[in-house]
């Protein structure tokens, strides 16, 4: 009931922000009765420059209230950490930080307007024209006020009314699923709050998305990893699943791959053995089985998982037999992701093959160079040995000559002091030559 039916606040409380940010008389007409009310804002019907508009107004005082709540959460986190196992500390801090970031982003309507423009632009080339994103009137928008195109539609879970208007609920479910897959896997920017109050079907059967306050964005690297993870899951490639979990930062690179592989294989076997397999089951099984490993889910990936679990619940109200994995498999094949992955794998294998061939072709040359180098080393070693032996022989000779001259001088000293002195001088010369030859 709180998705789009929060009790509205008094209209008089909304006037100050309207008058301050936009100018109360900027609208041709403004209905003071809200058409929708949420926890952060209320939406009114108005006419702006001759066009029907929906005006989203942030509730007064809500930012201060949220900042107070966030302060309380920050103070409670250290206490909560004392009561939880060490392996959950990172996840707990992550949840708190992620909640704070997302809730503060939801308060910024200028950011929401930018996301709406980007997502609308991404679907502009949609040949089937199955998706409709309301236009933003930027001249009448601010951080607290968002004025956009008014688009009427039937609530996506109102199955009876959809049928009465000639819409096939099964086709609607397929269109919604394909829209989310396109946003996440192709565009990298996605609507992050797919509850029934934010999705409708217009008169022509197009899917209309409202409320882009909670929206997410993948970096190109993250988007590529998410695509590869979907492909690996569809193909039951456990090794590739582990590689992408590590690439996404969800699994520690030092985790025991063999143990993780065994766990994931058990998950796949359990899920394949069940008659119906849902996205929620997959997430519950994987997180439950990997609970004892150094496993964590990055904030943007967690938001994408949340999109999957909520949207799947909505889609199964439209089509009780809706199969998320089967729809994903068809989408990946239809949009060329399977062929692209196969092509990339082929290029990778070809590159490795070419590298191996070049390595083999260069092997004889490398072997010849190695043998030449070893021969040079051996020759240099032999030359060094010869020079060393020559030097040692020379030094030994000088040592013998020095000793012999000294002995001879000592003998001559008894006969002639002159010859003895000459002998000692000669011995000193030989001694100097000895020292020189040893250095």
């Amino acid at each position: 009931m709180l998705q789009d039916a929060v009790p509205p606040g008094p209209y008089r409380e909304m006037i100050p922000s309207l008058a301050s940010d936009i100018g109360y008389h900027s609208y041709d007409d403004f209905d003071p009765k809200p058409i929708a009310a949420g926890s952060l804002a209320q939406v009114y019907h108005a006419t702006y420059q001759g066009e029907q508009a929906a005006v989203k107004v942030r509730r007064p005082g809500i930012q201060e209230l949220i900042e107070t709540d966030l302060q309380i959460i920050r103070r409670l986190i250290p206490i909560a950490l004392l009561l939880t196992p060490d392996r959950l500390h990172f996840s707990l801090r992550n949840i708190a930080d992620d909640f704070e970031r997302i809730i503060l982003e939801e308060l910024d309507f200028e950011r929401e307007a930018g996301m709406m423009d980007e997502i609308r632009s991404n679907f502009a080339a949609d040949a089937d024209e199955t998706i409709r994103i309301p236009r933003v009137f930027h001249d009448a928008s601010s951080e607290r006020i968002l004025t956009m195109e008014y688009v009427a539609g039937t609530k996506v879970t109102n199955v009876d009314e959809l049928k009465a208007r000639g819409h096939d609920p099964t086709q609607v479910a397929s269109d919604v699923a394909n829209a989310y897959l396109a946003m996440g896997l192709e565009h990298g920017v996605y609507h992050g709050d797919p509850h029934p109050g934010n999705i409708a079907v217009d008169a022509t059967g197009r899917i209309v998305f409202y409320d882009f306050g909670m929206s997410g964005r993948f970096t190109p690297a993250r988007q590529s990893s998410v695509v590869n993870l979907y492909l690996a899951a569809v193909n039951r490639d456990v090794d590739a699943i582990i590689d992408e979990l590590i690439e996404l930062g969800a699994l520690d690179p030092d985790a025991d791959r063999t143990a993780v592989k065994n766990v994931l294989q058990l998950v796949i076997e359990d899920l394949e053995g069940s008659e119906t397999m849902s996205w929620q089951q997959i997430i519950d099984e994987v997180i439950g089985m990997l609970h004892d490993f150094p496993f964590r889910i990055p904030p943007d990936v967690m938001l994408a998982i949340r999109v999957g679990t909520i949207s799947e619940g909505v889609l199964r109200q439209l089509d009780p037999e809706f199969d998320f994995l089967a729809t994903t498999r068809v989408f990946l094949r239809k949009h060329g992701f399977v062929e692209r992955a196969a092509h990339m794998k082929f290029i990778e294998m070809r590159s490795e093959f070419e590298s191996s061939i070049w390595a083999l072709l260069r092997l004889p040359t490398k072997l010849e160079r190695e043998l030449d180098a070893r021969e040079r080393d051996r020759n240099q070693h032999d030359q060094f040995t010869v020079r060393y032996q020559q030097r040692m022989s020379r030094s030994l000779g000088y040592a013998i000559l020095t000793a012999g001259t000294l002995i001879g001088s000592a003998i001559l000293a008894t006969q002639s002091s002159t010859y003895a002195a000459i002998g000692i001088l000669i011995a000193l010369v030989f001694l100097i030559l000895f020292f020189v030859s040893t250095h």
Side-chain angles (χ1 to χ4, degrees):
M1 291 301 296
L2 293 178
Q3 288 170 354
D4 57 354
V6 177
Y11 173 64
R12 64 179 178 275
E13 294 180 358
M14 306 296 171
I15 294 177
S17 57
L18 276 168
S20 173
D21 290 17
I22 308 303
Y24 182 67
H25 299 290
S26 297
Y27 299 97
D28 304 334
D29 185 42
F30 199 102
D31 186 349
K33 184 179 180 181
I35 56 176
S39 56
L40 303 183
Q42 295 181 182
V43 181
Y44 296 88
H45 184 257
T47 305
Y48 179 72
Q49 295 182 349
E51 295 193 56
Q52 297 298 301
V55 184
K56 184 177 180 180
V57 184
R58 194 166 74 191
R59 287 178 180 266
I62 192 68
Q63 184 163 3
E64 293 77 10
L65 181 62
I66 285 174
E67 287 175 352
T68 301
D69 289 343
L70 293 174
Q71 287 179 358
I72 294 170
I73 290 173
R74 291 189 206 106
R75 291 173 182 171
L76 287 176
I77 285 294
I79 299 173
L81 292 175
L82 294 174
L83 304 175
T84 55
D86 291 343
R87 66 177 181 273
L88 298 181
H89 285 190
F90 179 88
S91 297
L92 193 58
R93 290 194 190 95
N94 216 13
I95 290 170
D97 292 343
D98 188 28
F99 173 74
E100 180 171 345
R101 178 181 62 79
I102 289 174
I103 199 72
L104 291 177
E105 285 179 351
E106 274 200 271
L107 290 172
D108 185 357
F109 291 173
E110 288 179 335
R111 175 188 179 275
E112 181 176 351
M115 297 297 277
M116 288 180 69
D117 285 341
E118 188 170 355
I119 294 175
R120 188 170 184 271
S121 174
N122 288 336
F123 280 110
D126 180 12
D128 298 331
E129 295 186 347
T130 57
I131 309 302
R132 186 174 182 182
I133 311 295
R135 288 181 294 113
V136 175
F137 298 109
H138 290 279
D139 292 342
S141 297
S142 68
E143 185 183 348
R144 297 185 295 177
I145 310 294
L146 178 59
T147 304
M148 67 202 106
E149 177 188 12
Y150 178 81
V151 180
T154 304
K155 193 173 181 178
V156 72
T157 50
N158 194 338
V159 179
D160 291 338
E161 187 175 344
L162 287 174
K163 289 179 179 178
R165 292 178 177 273
H167 305 307
D168 178 7
T170 301
Q171 184 60 48
V172 170
S174 176
D175 289 343
V176 172
N178 285 322
Y180 273 106
L181 288 169
M183 283 188 273
L185 303 184
E186 285 194 305
H187 307 156
V189 184
Y190 54 92
H191 180 270
D193 199 11
H195 66 66
N198 286 340
I199 309 174
V201 181
D202 71 6
T204 64
R206 290 180 295 180
I207 308 300
V208 184
F209 290 99
Y210 308 114
D211 191 358
F212 290 78
M214 189 181 294
S215 48
R217 182 192 303 278
F218 288 135
T219 64
R222 184 83 80 192
Q223 184 182 353
S224 177
S225 291
V226 169
V227 170
N228 292 337
L229 184 61
Y230 271 90
L231 287 168
V234 167
N235 294 325
R236 310 294 199 268
D237 188 341
V238 177
D239 286 317
I241 291 174
I242 295 173
D243 289 339
E244 296 309 325
L245 288 175
I246 293 172
E247 187 68 26
L248 285 166
L251 187 66
D252 194 309
D254 296 328
D256 185 341
R257 284 186 67 100
T258 302
V260 174
K261 184 175 181 178
N262 291 337
V263 166
L264 289 175
Q265 284 176 333
L266 284 173
V267 170
I268 290 173
E269 290 172 6
D270 287 346
L271 291 173
E272 286 181 336
S274 62
E275 293 182 2
T276 59
M277 182 165 55
S278 68
W279 174 252
Q280 184 68 56
Q281 274 183 286
I282 294 171
I283 299 303
D284 289 345
E285 285 277 348
V286 170
I287 293 178
M289 296 288 275
L290 293 177
H291 190 267
D292 294 327
F293 290 92
F295 180 72
R296 56 191 181 273
I297 301 178
D300 51 354
V301 178
M302 177 58 83
L303 185 59
I305 289 173
R306 177 184 180 277
V307 168
T309 54
I310 295 176
S311 61
E312 184 181 56
V314 172
L315 299 177
R316 289 205 167 184
Q317 291 184 55
L318 291 165
D319 178 9
E321 298 182 1
F322 177 79
D323 188 334
F324 177 80
L325 283 183
T327 302
T328 303
R329 190 179 295 112
V330 171
F331 180 89
L332 291 171
R333 189 178 298 111
K334 180 180 178 181
H335 291 264
F337 286 104
V338 175
E339 291 80 2
R340 198 182 312 171
H343 181 64
M344 292 300 294
K345 192 70 176 176
F346 171 75
I347 291 175
E348 181 182 341
M349 291 174 64
R350 186 180 66 184
S351 177
E352 291 177 355
F353 177 74
E354 289 174 352
S355 299
S356 300
I357 292 296
W358 279 111
L360 287 172
L361 290 174
R362 290 196 298 267
L363 186 59
T365 305
K366 286 186 175 181
L367 284 173
E368 185 176 350
R369 288 176 182 170
E370 180 68 21
L371 291 173
D372 288 344
R374 292 191 177 187
E375 183 66 25
R376 284 194 302 271
D377 290 342
R378 185 166 60 252
N379 291 337
Q380 290 174 357
H381 176 73
D382 293 343
Q383 291 174 6
F384 173 79
T385 302
V386 170
R387 286 197 300 270
Y388 177 78
Q389 290 174 346
Q390 289 174 346
R391 190 168 66 249
M392 289 299 102
S393 298
R394 193 179 301 114
S395 298
L396 182 60
Y398 289 136
I400 294 172
L401 288 172
T402 302
T405 304
L406 286 173
I407 293 170
S409 298
I411 295 171
L412 288 173
T414 59
Q415 302 296 324
S416 171
S417 58
T418 302
Y419 287 115
I422 293 171
I424 290 172
L425 289 173
I426 295 172
L428 286 173
V429 172
F430 286 143
L431 183 62
I432 292 170
L433 292 172
F434 168 77
F435 281 116
V436 171
S437 65
T438 57
H439 290 81

